[in-house]
């Protein structure tokens, strides 16, 4: 009587997962990270130039306004007029006011980026908890390549959260440190039922698809070109995470229906609405 081989913990070998993780990390460092850094740097430089220009304009307006008042005073004195010398407030002198924080972000863009940051914070939470559970032996036998993938994805999500927050704080808004307020309770509830690597991969895949679809929608809806560039450099990385997780689960490496039918285009059903977050 032959003994049945135990079912493997993941659908691909350790060697294959390590190779996919390396390719994912190479893509992140060679293409996504430089594009991300450039987008954030350009955003910060743009705001700095705007601030310098505004300060220069304010100073020029003040000098022009003061000069005009002095010339007007001299003309009145020469004419011997008895008009009172208290000038009315000139619009030129009063001009040069700034918007709070010097923000170029519309309120809609700010809310979208706040939601994006909260998604990254939730991914950080989920991967951190998953790694801890694996190390504690709560997920049964864990192939050595799984924590390597999880740690790599975690580091990339941290970089993404930092990038989104850089855009927000450069615009004079507060950084977002909380995870998605609507999804977090659901993720915690689902994580409590995870007992193996497959279950953890399914949960991670859901979060990666939420991020990818939300950022894909942002590329079309954000009005700030710098915010769009930041989001566009992050979205492909989330799709790469998802593709690796599909391989881990033994599925076609792309978005598909619940029955496993591949879809030609990425849907947006998992897109997170901006109404779930507020910015200050």
């Amino acid at each position: 009587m032959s003994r049945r081989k135990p079912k493997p913990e993941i659908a691909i070998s350790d060697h294959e997962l390590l190779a996919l993780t390396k390719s994912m990390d190479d893509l992140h460092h060679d293409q996504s990270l430089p594009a991300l850094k450039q987008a954030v740097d350009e955003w910060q430089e743009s705001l700095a130039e705007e601030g310098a220009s505004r300060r220069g304009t304010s100073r020029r307006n003040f000098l022009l306004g003061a000069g005009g008042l002095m010339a007007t005073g001299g003309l009145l004195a020469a004419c011997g007029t008895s008009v009172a010398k208290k000038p009315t407030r000139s619009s030129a002198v009063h001009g040069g006011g700034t918007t709070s924080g010097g923000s170029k972000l519309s309120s809609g863009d700010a809310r979208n980026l706040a939601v994006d940051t909260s998604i990254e914070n939730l991914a950080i939470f989920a991967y951190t908890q998953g790694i801890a559970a694996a190390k504690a032996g709560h997920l049964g036998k864990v192939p050595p390549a799984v924590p390597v993938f999880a740690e790599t994805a975690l580091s990339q999500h941290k970089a993404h959260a930092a990038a989104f927050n850089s855009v927000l704080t450069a615009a004079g808004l507060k950084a977002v440190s909380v995870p998605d307020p609507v999804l977090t309770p659901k993720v915690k509830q689902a994580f409590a039922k995870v007992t193996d690597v497959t279950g953890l991969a399914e949960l991670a895949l859901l979060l990666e698809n939420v991020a990818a679809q939300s950022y894909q929608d942002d590329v079309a809806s954000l009005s700030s070109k710098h915010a769009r560039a930041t989001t566009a450099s992050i979205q492909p990385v989330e799709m790469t995470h998802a593709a690796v997780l599909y391989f881990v689960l033994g599925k076609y490496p792309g978005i598909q229906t619940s029955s496993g039918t591949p879809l030609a285009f990425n849907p947006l059903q998992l897109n997170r609405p901006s109404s779930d977050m507020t910015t200050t």
Side-chain angles (χ1 to χ4, degrees), residues 56-70:
T57 300
S58 179
R59 177 175 173 77
R60 284 195 304 274
N61 286 344
F62 176 81
L63 292 174
L64 287 171
L69 289 174
M70 289 174 66

Side-chain angles (χ1 to χ4, degrees), residues 37-53:
K37 184 178 185 304
Q38 180 180 352
V40 174
D41 286 349
E42 287 180 355
W43 164 252
Q44 293 175 334
E45 289 171 6
S46 176
L47 285 178
E49 290 172 1
E50 178 197 15
S53 174

Side-chain angles (χ1 to χ4, degrees), residues 77-279:
C79 294
T81 180
S82 60
V83 176
K85 299 300 188 291
K86 293 182 179 179
T88 58
R89 180 172 293 179
S90 165
S91 59
V93 175
H94 189 55
T98 63
T99 56
S100 176
S103 173
K104 281 185 179 179
L105 281 180
S106 67
S107 58
D109 280 4
R111 285 194 300 270
N112 278 330
L113 291 176
V115 170
D116 294 345
T117 314
S118 76
I119 293 172
E120 293 297 333
N121 292 338
L122 180 55
I124 292 169
F125 165 80
Y127 274 103
T128 301
Q129 293 298 308
I131 292 168
K135 290 181 177 178
H138 298 324
L139 303 178
K141 184 179 179 181
V142 178
V146 170
V148 176
F149 165 79
E151 292 281 4
T152 303
L154 173 62
S155 68
Q156 294 176 2
H157 282 298
K158 288 180 178 179
H160 298 166
F164 282 135
N165 269 329
S166 292
V167 176
L168 289 171
T169 55
L173 300 170
K174 290 183 179 178
V176 176
S177 59
V178 297
D180 187 299
V182 174
L183 280 186
T184 298
K186 298 176 183 178
V187 169
K188 288 182 176 179
Q189 186 177 19
F191 182 75
K193 299 177 182 178
V194 171
T195 58
D196 55 24
V197 173
T198 299
L200 186 62
E202 291 280 8
L203 182 57
L205 177 60
L206 172 63
L207 291 177
E208 299 294 357
N209 281 331
V210 165
Q213 293 182 29
S214 296
Y215 307 164
Q216 180 175 320
D217 184 66
D218 279 352
V219 172
S221 62
L222 290 170
S223 58
S224 164
K225 66 177 183 179
H226 301 292
R228 283 199 306 273
T230 301
T231 307
S233 66
I234 292 174
Q235 195 267 352
V237 180
E238 315 297 18
M239 293 194 72
T240 305
H241 293 174
V244 174
L245 288 166
Y246 277 122
F247 274 121
V248 167
L249 294 167
K251 299 179 179 181
Y252 172 82
I255 197 71
Q256 53 202 264
T257 65
S258 57
S259 61
T261 303
L263 298 174
F265 300 100
N266 206 34
L268 299 178
Q269 287 96 328
L270 297 176
N271 175 42
R272 300 293 297 118
S274 62
S275 57
D276 288 344
M277 290 290 292
T278 58
T279 58

